[in-house]
Amino acid sequence: MIDNQLGRNIQHLRIIHNETLDELGCVIHCAKSTVKGYENGSRKPDLQILQLLSVHYNKSVDELLYTDLTGLENISIDLNSSTNTTELLRKILPLHCSEEAMRNQNFKNGYDLSQRLLEAFSNAEVLSGSIIVRIFEAFAKATDESESPEAVANLVWSVFIWWFQIYDTNKLLSLQDKLLSKKLTTKDFMMLKDTEDISITQKKISFISDFDEIITEAIKALKSDQDWSDLADYYLALRYMVGMVDTDLSTEMNSAVGLQMMLSFMALGNSHAFTFCKTCLSEN
């Protein structure tokens, strides 16, 4: 508190969330001048205010008080006119196939269903919710039968797609609208806590518990293959960025860790990380 770490954190979080002093004041039930006092250190928030800030920014009180959060960046997805939703997803969540892999019927079924799902998303078409389950099961069976790296990679792909299906239909349609209108912000992409209700949060916790071992083993299998090692590193970073991990950190802190991993992998020549950063990351 002596060096006003809290004040700098509040100001930085407010700025990267594109909030005015008045807007944050409404959230924590304080006047604009009070918020400004918190930021410049002339005022100290009580525990109730700290808890409101904690919930609003998806931070623990300890993180707000003692961790330097000013390194967190605002992330946005910038779509140019030639890039639609499906093309974006194909870049950041690549599907893989080969002539040999397609000889396995389960792999082919999973791959065909995956293409159908992507096209449906692009066209705002509603499909049965069971399609992602069928995709996952098809690639899981293909992995058991053939142990092909393409099947393992697409199994990981299906887990990420399934993760995004947790959110309710209205939020997904809203997200798609922002994708198409090129107005996707950090909070939209990372699906931070302030856009969720308790039921969604519980579903995410259960999902992580159910799939943690599966995705960890799949990433390890890819990492053990020199030709697929970069994809394993990419998915590891992306897993943190979207919050599909069980740690003691807040969602946004996990996202920050994942971002730093992604940038490091890109610097080391990881083509998947480079494509992601080139396609998705820009400073507002």
Side-chain angles (χ1 to χ4, degrees), residues 144-211:
D144 291 338
E145 293 168 352
S146 65
E147 297 184 354
S148 73
E150 291 88 354
V152 177
N154 288 355
L155 180 66
V156 176
W157 179 92
S158 70
V159 173
F160 274 95
I161 293 293
W162 199 341
W163 170 257
F164 292 122
Q165 299 304 306
I166 292 175
Y167 307 96
D168 65 54
T169 303
N170 289 334
K171 289 191 176 73
L172 285 174
L173 291 176
S174 175
L175 177 64
Q176 182 171 337
D177 288 342
K178 290 179 180 180
L179 275 167
L180 295 174
S181 64
K182 312 174 191 177
K183 294 179 180 179
L184 192 62
T185 66
T186 302
K187 290 190 292 185
D188 300 315
F189 183 59
M190 298 306 177
M191 295 291 191
L192 298 182
K193 189 174 181 180
D194 58 352
T195 65
E196 298 176 359
D197 57 35
I198 295 176
S199 65
I200 299 300
T201 300
Q202 289 302 318
K203 287 180 182 179
K204 289 173 64 176
I205 292 172
S206 296
F207 184 96
I208 293 172
S209 175
D210 292 341
F211 286 91

Side-chain angles (χ1 to χ4, degrees), residues 22-180:
D22 282 325
E23 287 171 337
L24 179 55
C26 288
V27 171
I28 61 176
H29 313 300
C30 292
K32 172 182 177 180
S33 58
T34 302
V35 177
K36 187 173 182 180
Y38 293 156
E39 292 186 354
N40 64 32
S42 63
R43 289 176 177 265
K44 296 181 181 180
D46 59 24
L47 181 58
Q48 183 179 4
I49 297 299
L50 285 172
Q51 290 172 338
L52 288 173
L53 288 166
S54 172
V55 171
H56 181 57
Y57 289 127
N58 197 27
K59 294 282 170 294
S60 69
V61 172
D62 281 347
E63 284 178 316
L64 291 171
L65 289 171
Y66 307 119
T67 303
D68 185 359
L69 305 177
T70 59
L72 296 179
E73 298 179 35
N74 199 13
I75 301 169
S76 64
I77 291 183
D78 181 19
L79 303 179
N80 58 50
S81 58
S82 64
T83 306
N84 61 29
T85 307
T86 301
E87 290 171 340
L88 173 72
L89 289 176
R90 289 185 190 281
K91 288 182 179 180
I92 65 175
L93 291 176
L95 271 170
H96 298 272
C97 74
S98 66
E99 184 176 346
E100 181 178 353
M102 290 292 276
R103 294 193 186 103
N104 181 284
Q105 189 59 49
N106 280 312
F107 181 93
K108 185 177 185 306
N109 290 342
Y111 187 82
D112 291 343
L113 285 171
S114 300
Q115 298 287 5
R116 178 80 178 90
L117 181 64
L118 288 174
E119 289 303 323
F121 186 81
S122 179
N123 297 325
E125 179 184 354
V126 178
L127 297 177
S128 167
S130 65
I131 187 171
I132 187 58
V133 179
R134 293 160 58 197
I135 292 171
F136 171 82
E137 291 178 344
F139 286 134
K141 290 177 182 177
T143 298
D144 291 338
E145 293 168 352
S146 65
E147 297 184 354
S148 73
E150 291 88 354
V152 177
N154 288 355
L155 180 66
V156 176
W157 179 92
S158 70
V159 173
F160 274 95
I161 293 293
W162 199 341
W163 170 257
F164 292 122
Q165 299 304 306
I166 292 175
Y167 307 96
D168 65 54
T169 303
N170 289 334
K171 289 191 176 73
L172 285 174
L173 291 176
S174 175
L175 177 64
Q176 182 171 337
D177 288 342
K178 290 179 180 180
L179 275 167
L180 295 174

